[in-house]
Amino acid sequence: ILATVEVNPLTIYGSAATGQQVAGIMKDTLAGRVEFALVEPYVAFEVEGYRITPLKANHAPELEPLNYLISKDGATLLYAHDTGYWGEETWRFFEKERPRLQFASFDCTMGVLDSRKNHMGLKTALEVRDRLADIGCIDSSTICCVSHISHKAKMTYDEFAPIVEREGLLLAYDGMAVQF
C-alpha cells in the first residue's frame, strides 16, 4: 500500500537578490518543497504569530543579506549572524524603534581575531552588544550569546568558552536551548 504524504513546503524569507539565488536552486532540485517570500528591510511581517523584522546585515552586499528581530508574546530576540558591524541605516532603526531584547545572538565567526566586515570577531560582537545597551535595547537581564563560530577562529570550544564567559556572554553549542 502506498501512502500519500502531504509535503508542507519550507518558506525562505529574504531579499530580492537572495530570492534570485533560491529560485535557481528551487527549480532544479527543490520544486514543490521550498517556496520563497520576498521581505523588505525594516518592514515587519507576521508568520504564525511571530512578528519578524528584517534588518540589513553587513555581509556579501550583492545578496542584500538580512538579520532578523523576532517577537512573540512580549519577548524579542535578535538573530545577527553572517554579518559584520552594521551600517548606520541599521543603527538608525535601533535608535528609532528601541526594541527591548530578551535574547541576542551575535555572529562571532572569527573568534578572537578582529573582523568588522562580513563576519565579526569577539571584539566587534562586544561593540555591537555595548552599542545596543547604550541605545537601551539590551540591559543586564538580556541573554547575549555568540554563535556561528568558524574554523577561521583557530580555537577549540574549550579554549574560546572561558574568554567569552569573562565578557558576560554565552558561547553557543550544538543542541543548545535557552529559555527566556
Side-chain angles (χ1 to χ4, degrees), residues 5-11 22-23 25-36:
V5 176
E6 184 177 322
V7 176
N8 293 321
L10 170 69
T11 303
V22 170
I25 296 167
M26 287 188 326
K27 75 176 185 176
D28 296 332
T29 59
L30 299 174
R33 295 186 293 168
V34 174
E35 54 189 37
F36 181 78

Side-chain angles (χ1 to χ4, degrees), residues 6-167:
E6 184 177 322
V7 176
N8 293 321
L10 170 69
T11 303
I12 297 174
Y13 298 87
S15 65
T18 298
Q20 290 173 343
Q21 288 221 329
V22 170
I25 296 167
M26 287 188 326
K27 75 176 185 176
D28 296 332
T29 59
L30 299 174
R33 295 186 293 168
V34 174
E35 54 189 37
F36 181 78
L38 177 65
V39 297
E40 299 293 327
Y42 317 109
V43 178
F45 60 97
E46 302 277 333
V47 176
E48 297 183 17
Y50 291 88
R51 181 176 173 83
I52 303 168
T53 306
L55 310 166
K56 283 189 179 180
N58 174 1
H59 182 90
E62 70 279 4
L63 294 178
E64 302 166 359
L66 301 168
N67 293 152
Y68 294 92
L69 277 176
I70 304 168
S71 301
K72 185 175 184 181
D73 299 332
T76 300
L77 72 86
L78 169 65
Y79 188 81
H81 295 191
D82 273 344
T83 190
Y85 194 83
W86 293 312
E88 286 307 308
E89 186 176 5
T90 297
W91 286 113
R92 280 192 300 275
F93 168 84
F94 280 103
E95 289 165 353
K96 179 182 178 210
E97 299 297 325
R98 297 187 191 278
R100 172 69 186 92
L101 304 176
Q102 283 69 46
F103 181 83
S105 185
F106 303 112
D107 183 282
C108 200
T109 299
M110 304 306 291
V112 295
L113 302 176
D114 198 19
S115 180
R116 294 181 68 78
K117 186 176 178 189
N118 294 318
H119 293 286
M120 291 189 259
L122 181 59
K123 178 182 174 191
T124 304
L126 292 169
E127 286 180 50
V128 171
R129 179 200 62 186
D130 293 348
R131 187 163 176 186
L132 288 168
D134 289 346
I135 293 168
C137 300
I138 286 177
D139 65 21
S140 62
S141 68
T142 304
I143 300 167
C144 293
C145 177
V146 292
S147 188
H148 199 254
I149 314 302
S150 162
H151 63 282
K152 294 176 183 178
K154 300 187 186 306
M155 296 182 89
T156 67
Y157 183 92
D158 290 337
E159 292 167 333
F160 195 35
I163 297 167
V164 168
E165 289 170 13
R166 279 194 296 273
E167 298 295 343

